[in-house]
Structures are given as C-alpha cells and as structure tokens.
Amino acid sequence: MTKTRRLDKFAIAAALQEIAALLELKGGKDRFKARAYQAGARVVGGLSEDIGEVVLENRLTSLRGIGDALASQIEQLYLTGESSVLRGLKKDFPPGIIELSGVPGLSTAKIKTLHDALGITSVAELKAAAEAGQIRIIKGFGAKTEEKLLETIASHSLRAKNEERLHLHRALQTASQVTDYLQTSHDTTDITLAGSLRRWKETVGTIRIVANTTRPAALIKHFLGFPLVVEVIEQMEEASTVRLADGARVSLVAASPSEFALALLTETGSEAHVNKLHRIASDGANRQEAKSKRSKNPGRKSKPSTELPTEEDIYHQLGMQYIPPELREEQGEIEAALAGKLPADLVTFADIRGMVHCHTTYSDGKHSIEEMARAAEAMGMKYVTITDHSPTAFYAGGVTLDQLKQQWEEIEEVQEKVKVKILRGTESDIVADGHLDYPDKILEQFDVIVASIHSRYKMDSAKMTKRIVTAMQQPVFKIWGHALGRLIQRRPPFECDVEQILDVIAESRAAIEVNGDPWRLDMEPRWIREARKRKIKFVISVDAHSTGAMNNLKYGVGIARRGWLRKSEVLNTLGVKAFQNAVKPA
Ligand SMILES: [Zn+2]
Ligand SMILES: [Zn+2]
C-alpha cells in the first residue's frame, strides 16, 4: 500500500503512543522501550517547529530523548504513514487490545479468546455481548464471570469518568499538545486554558479550553479530529468533551468573539466563585428594574458597546476589581474585590530575581555549579543559591565538611566566569530533635540556609511540632523548606500544629519556602494565607535537581498567587544585596 499523505506531528505522536501501549502490554524488558516511545511521543507532539523539516534535515536525533531506533520509526511514519515496529506489534495482539486491556481482570489471553469467539474489539462490544448472555457460553468464562465483567465495566467507566484527576504537570503537557493542535485551525483567534489548570490547582479533573472563533462548529469538528481522542464523552454544537489515549479528559468550548469573555470566566470557575458572581449580577439587575419602574422611565437600555467585552469588563460591570484566576475560590476574594481591597501587587513570574534552592552534583543534582549558574543566568536571574544536602541526608549524597570546602572553592572559580551572583547555601536537614545539620560555626558561614525535614515523617503531632519549633528558633536565619513534606497524590502533609509553628516563626529569624517542585507545591495556599496574617516572609523556590527543573518556577509562582502572596512579601523579588541581607544566617 502506498500513501502520499504526510502525517503531521500529532498523528505521529499518536502512533508512537500506540507503540508504547503495546510494548507495555508485552511487559518484561519491553516496558523500558515503552517508556522511550512514550517520551518520544511527548517530544514530537510538543515540537514547536515543523516535523517535516526536522525529518528531512536529519535532525531527529538532536531532539532530547530521541535515539536512532525511535528516529527511524518517526522517519518511516512521516515518509510512508506506517511504522514497521507498530505493524509487527499489531500482529501479536487482537484488535482493540489497548482499550480492552484497561478493563481490570481482563488478561491479554482472555481478550484474544473473546476476539476469536465473538469478534469483540471494544469495551462497548464487550458490554453488549455480556448483556446478551453471549460470554457465559465461551469456554473458560461462565455466567459468574459474565456478571462480574458487567460490574467491572460499570464501575471502571464510572471511576474513569469521575475520580481520576491528573497531576498539574501532566495536565499542562497534554493541554499544550491540544492547544498546539487547535492553533492549526482557521478562524480561531484565541485559545485559552481555563478550569482548574488556569487556577493552578495541584490536580486537574478536566482540562478545559476555551476558544475564540467565528466558526464554532468547524472548530469542534477539528477538535474531534485530534488523533489522540479515543472517546467522545459529550458533543454539542459549540462544546465537546473527549477522553484521550492517555486517559486525560479534555473539554473545549468554542465561543464566538462576543461571548468569549463570559465563556472564559464561566469555564475558569471555580463553580462557587462563578455562582456567587451570578447572584450578584441578578441582585443588581433586580435593583435596576425596581429603580426604573419607580422613576417611570421607559426602561432605557444601555447603549450596546462596539468594543468586545473582556473578563476585566465583566468584573467592573459588577462593581468590583478584576479578580485573577488563582484567587477565584470563593474564599473572600469577591468581598475584597467589591471593597477595592484586592492586592494590586500579587507576585508575578517577572518579579522573581533569584533562583533559590538549587542542587548540584555535590549532592543529588544532575548538573554542575557552573551549569546551574548559567541556566539561572539564561532565565534572567540576578542570583542563584546553591543549596546541596547536608551530611545527615547521606542517601542524597549529603555534602561533608571536606566537600563543602571544595564546593566553596569551586563557587569562587565559577563566579569569575559568570555574571549571576552565586550564593553559598545548604539545604540543612532538620534532625529528629529539631537541630540543624552542620555545627553552628559552619552554618554561620553560609549565605543562605534552607532547613528541611527529609526523614522521620511519622512522628506524632506533638513531637513533630516541637521538632519544627526548635528548628525555627535556632539563632541562624533559615528558610523552612518544603514545609509540610507532602507529595501530591503520593504522601499527605505530616501532622503538626501548623498555627503554633507559624506563631513561632513570626517571632523568629525564619522565612517559609513556597516549593515549586510540581510534586510538592508546599506550603499549600491556605497555610500561606495563615502565615501572611502573621507578616511572615517567603521565598519562591525551584528545588531544582537539574537545569531543566528551573522551569519549576512557574508552579511556585502559581501556588504563591493562590496564597495571595504579594511581591513585597517574597524575599527573592529583592535585588542581590537586599536578598543577602534579608537571609544572612548570622
Ligand atoms: Zn529537600
Ligand atoms: Zn531540595
């Protein structure tokens, strides 16, 4: 078969994802290959230049994570529309295997039997066959199995629909693939992320996108043609929700230019925030109506404006300040906006002057001091703090006193070569009794100390509280690192009396970190707001173990804004001298 149509990057990414899913099903050492294909799919899907050019100029292997084997498959897919690896894998499995293998308890062998006996290639066909009593007569299945299968399908699809939330980091990756694809449609001026993603929530149920378009129906059609769509959950003329091959749920609202702002506001949520705006709007309308009746004026309508409304306009018409998405949680932001009391200087990405909390090869980081310094400089930073682990964190290659001497010498050497100011720091362990790692006379020589807990998480609340209080009361100035030790979707925050600790910090030489590692995002917004009441200062850090992880900064800023942090409350918005003075340990 010859094909002349060239596949675009999304179709190629979809094929790579299919290969990955099939390799995953084979199991064993093919799992590792699966991961490579998965990563390759992400790289190709997220490519900002034309895939054709990259292929034709033989530059595939210069892309990160793409080796020779992967490159050859991408080339084949682009040039011929097919992949030899995919063809080979498909021979090994019955059709529909990827979707069917998602049903718990259904092994590859069983799926093959079902296919051979009944020609089943999808979950829908499986369900229909079970309901018609066709499964029970297949050898090795039986009535009980059939009944169980129906239950499983019901609960499985329910769970998939309602409960699974994507981690913010993955949701953003997937969302940018979809928006890239949507940009290729004509007549679309504006594609914007909405929902909890726009509000920088830690996890995302549905990736919500709002488009500004003069041809909504055509855009929805284009959306449904996205190659990674495996299921259409809901479809209307101007909106649709789908599920992608990786399980992500994505909804698109295609709004005409005059409706775009309101659609964006509604889709951004939160629900409670939007509902309250509605109540305010209808109260206002009722008052207006009553007023015009009393004055016996023929209800004079306000002149239709020729300018298209923006979200800002909508808030202003309701008699309040514009509310940034990160604040829209119905936690006092509407009352503050009505009173004109929202912070005007909420911290922004552009405010950050220093890259705080960076690891290097001296402990468990991937890159050298020089590489980290240059990466920070490339992002426009004025300073970078090198804060490797302290000796107690032996599992993370904590820096011993001898190595520390060496590191400080290296910092001096690198400083000769770069403009960004390199500050000597440590991420000192808060040991079990609350003291900091390294002797005091060493601690006093650092430029900056991040103090974190890395072990013994499971103390009872009283002991943990005492441990942290002791740490915060140490005479050196320290920044409380990834405060409550949570790992999103993996480990809850540890138990302690946060308010008591905040009271102590307010009286101590200490600040609190907002950790931008997307798995930590600690401390969380409600506690940031509690700390703000006590006038405690913060840093927004990256906790970077590689140069790439400096991109964590956007997450840190997002979570800080959700905590209503102002620029003046964030120490690393200061210039280098002022920052050094603010965090000087002794
Ligand atoms: Zn740490
Ligand atoms: Zn760290």
Side-chain angles (χ1 to χ4, degrees):
M1 189 171 78
T2 53
K3 273 193 182 176
T4 48
R5 191 178 76 93
R6 291 271 154 92
L7 298 185
D8 65 8
K9 63 175 183 176
F10 299 107
I12 294 174
L16 297 178
Q17 225 160 21
E18 194 175 357
I19 294 175
L22 293 173
L23 286 169
E24 187 71 37
L25 281 175
K26 287 194 98 174
K29 66 180 188 334
D30 284 320
R31 286 236 169 92
F32 293 102
K33 280 201 226 160
R35 248 161 262 162
Y37 275 94
Q38 197 71 53
R42 272 199 299 276
V43 172
V44 170
L47 206 60
S48 54
E49 55 184 327
D50 181 54
I51 182 81
E53 273 173 33
V54 181
V55 171
L56 298 174
E57 291 166 14
N58 280 318
R59 287 190 287 115
L60 279 171
T61 49
S62 71
L63 301 177
R64 207 160 61 129
I66 299 205
D68 289 335
L70 207 55
S72 116
Q73 294 309 308
I74 295 170
E75 195 179 307
Q76 279 184 33
L77 283 162
Y78 179 72
L79 296 175
T80 70
E82 288 190 27
S83 139
S84 54
V85 171
L86 184 55
R87 210 166 35 235
L89 283 166
K90 277 183 169 170
K91 270 191 210 134
D92 295 345
F93 293 106
I97 180 80
I98 295 176
E99 187 186 336
L100 285 163
S101 64
V103 179
L106 218 48
S107 66
T108 306
K110 279 187 180 154
I111 293 170
K112 190 160 187 325
T113 308
L114 286 167
H115 177 256
D116 292 345
L118 299 169
I120 287 170
T121 61
S122 69
V123 175
E125 288 170 10
L126 176 68
K127 185 163 174 257
E131 281 165 353
Q134 293 171 331
I135 305 246
R136 64 181 73 191
I137 50 179
I138 300 174
K139 193 161 171 244
F141 281 82
K144 261 226 175 88
T145 315
E146 186 178 79
E147 196 181 318
K148 189 99 209 299
L149 215 44
L150 274 173
E151 275 170 29
T152 310
I153 292 170
S155 69
H156 176 62
S157 58
L158 200 70
R159 201 184 60 234
K161 279 191 173 66
N162 297 332
E163 279 173 26
E164 264 172 41
R165 292 183 68 84
L166 288 178
H167 184 264
L168 166 64
H169 181 61
R170 222 188 91 200
L172 257 188
Q173 279 178 344
T174 302
S176 71
Q177 282 186 26
V178 179
T179 52
D180 278 0
Y181 169 82
L182 291 175
Q183 305 285 7
T184 63
S185 162
H186 305 293
D187 308 314
T188 299
T189 54
D190 207 347
I191 309 267
T192 308
L193 297 181
S196 40
L197 205 47
R198 185 165 179 235
R199 306 199 317 277
W200 291 94
K201 298 280 284 186
E202 293 88 340
T203 60
V204 172
T206 301
I207 296 171
R208 295 187 185 279
I209 300 171
V210 181
N212 185 345
T213 176
T214 49
R215 295 173 58 213
L219 185 67
I220 293 295
K221 195 169 163 237
H222 183 63
F223 175 57
L224 295 175
F226 183 56
L228 299 184
V229 171
V230 293
E231 184 192 348
V232 178
I233 298 169
E234 193 178 36
Q235 186 185 349
M236 289 170 291
E237 206 166 310
E238 296 178 357
S240 177
T241 305
V242 301
R243 191 184 318 286
L244 304 184
D246 64 356
R249 205 163 48 236
V250 186
S251 98
L252 171 68
V253 171
S256 64
S258 63
E259 291 166 340
F260 176 70
L262 188 58
L264 181 59
L265 184 88
T266 308
E267 285 295 292
T268 298
S270 66
E271 211 179 324
H273 175 89
V274 174
N275 286 344
K276 185 147 190 178
L277 292 183
H278 274 303
R279 281 201 299 280
I280 291 173
S282 63
D283 287 354
N286 290 340
R287 264 200 306 278
Q288 203 61 40
E289 203 175 312
K291 213 167 110 188
S292 67
K293 267 186 193 154
R294 269 200 310 275
S295 65
K296 286 181 192 163
N297 257 346
R300 191 158 52 107
K301 288 224 170 71
S302 57
K303 233 184 359 202
S305 161
T306 47
E307 297 265 319
L308 293 173
T310 62
E311 265 190 333
E312 279 85 349
D313 295 334
I314 298 173
Y315 282 103
H316 294 161
Q317 276 160 16
L318 293 174
M320 62 180 86
Q321 290 173 290
Y322 171 71
I323 302 177
E326 298 91 337
L327 269 45
R328 300 182 194 170
E329 301 293 341
E330 161 63 327
Q331 283 173 3
E333 75 278 7
I334 291 177
E335 290 75 7
L338 282 167
K341 286 185 174 157
L342 277 185
D345 57 347
L346 215 56
V347 67
T348 67
F349 190 85
D351 291 333
I352 305 297
R353 314 281 291 276
M355 201 60 92
V356 178
H357 195 158
C358 297
H359 295 270
T360 72
T361 47
Y362 274 87
S363 65
D364 56 354
K366 259 198 227 159
H367 294 109
S368 66
I369 295 170
E370 182 169 349
E371 287 168 317
M372 294 300 275
R374 289 194 186 280
E377 196 171 294
M379 285 180 75
M381 293 294 140
K382 301 286 177 229
Y383 47 98
V384 55
T385 79
I386 302 297
T387 53
D388 276 306
H389 289 287
S390 63
T392 301
F394 58 89
Y395 49 86
V399 178
T400 63
L401 283 176
D402 284 348
Q403 291 166 330
L404 197 58
K405 242 188 95 195
Q406 201 188 326
Q407 184 177 50
W408 290 357
E409 281 165 18
E410 192 175 325
I411 286 176
E412 261 179 55
E413 285 165 27
V414 175
Q415 188 65 77
E416 302 281 299
K417 299 191 251 177
V418 297
K419 275 210 205 90
V420 63
K421 175 73 180 169
I422 308 171
L423 299 178
R424 304 192 309 200
T426 176
E427 181 175 13
S428 172
D429 262 46
I430 298 175
V431 299
D433 72 357
H435 282 82
L436 302 186
D437 215 359
Y438 290 124
D440 282 348
K441 68 173 198 299
I442 298 293
L443 287 173
E444 288 165 6
Q445 295 177 50
F446 286 106
D447 292 319
V448 52
I449 298 170
V450 176
S452 314
I453 286 179
H454 291 113
S455 57
R456 309 273 312 270
Y457 290 96
K458 286 183 182 158
M459 292 181 159
D460 67 50
S461 175
K463 267 195 188 144
M464 187 57 98
T465 305
K466 183 150 179 273
R467 178 183 183 186
I468 298 166
V469 163
T470 305
M472 294 302 124
Q473 286 174 330
Q474 297 302 301
V476 291
F477 190 94
K478 80 294 298 173
I479 298 159
W480 187 17
H482 43 74
L484 297 175
R486 72 162 171 176
L487 292 176
I488 292 160
Q489 293 180 322
R490 295 180 196 166
R491 186 173 68 205
F494 47 62
E495 290 186 22
C496 58
D497 185 339
V498 182
E499 298 201 32
Q500 189 192 330
I501 296 169
L502 294 179
D503 288 342
V504 168
I505 291 179
E507 303 295 322
S508 304
R509 301 194 66 229
I512 300 175
E513 174 185 82
V514 178
N515 190 301
D517 178 330
W519 293 99
R520 293 192 179 274
L521 301 178
D522 192 358
M523 102 178 339
E524 58 189 289
R526 65 186 172 122
W527 291 129
I528 294 177
R529 296 179 65 181
E530 277 303 315
R532 287 191 65 233
K533 290 184 195 159
R534 294 162 174 83
K535 309 222 179 319
I536 293 169
K537 297 287 195 222
F538 282 82
V539 299
I540 298 177
S541 89
V542 284
D543 202 349
H545 288 73
S546 67
T547 53
M550 289 189 182
N551 290 313
N552 287 350
L553 191 57
K554 60 175 181 288
Y555 299 108
V557 172
I559 208 95
R561 288 169 64 87
R562 284 180 53 206
W564 295 43
L565 267 190
R566 311 169 72 142
K567 180 183 176 186
S568 55
E569 294 163 323
V570 179
L571 295 175
N572 56 326
T573 61
L574 296 170
V576 60
K577 282 269 146 51
F579 177 76
Q580 269 183 288
N581 280 332
V583 302
K584 204 160 57 186

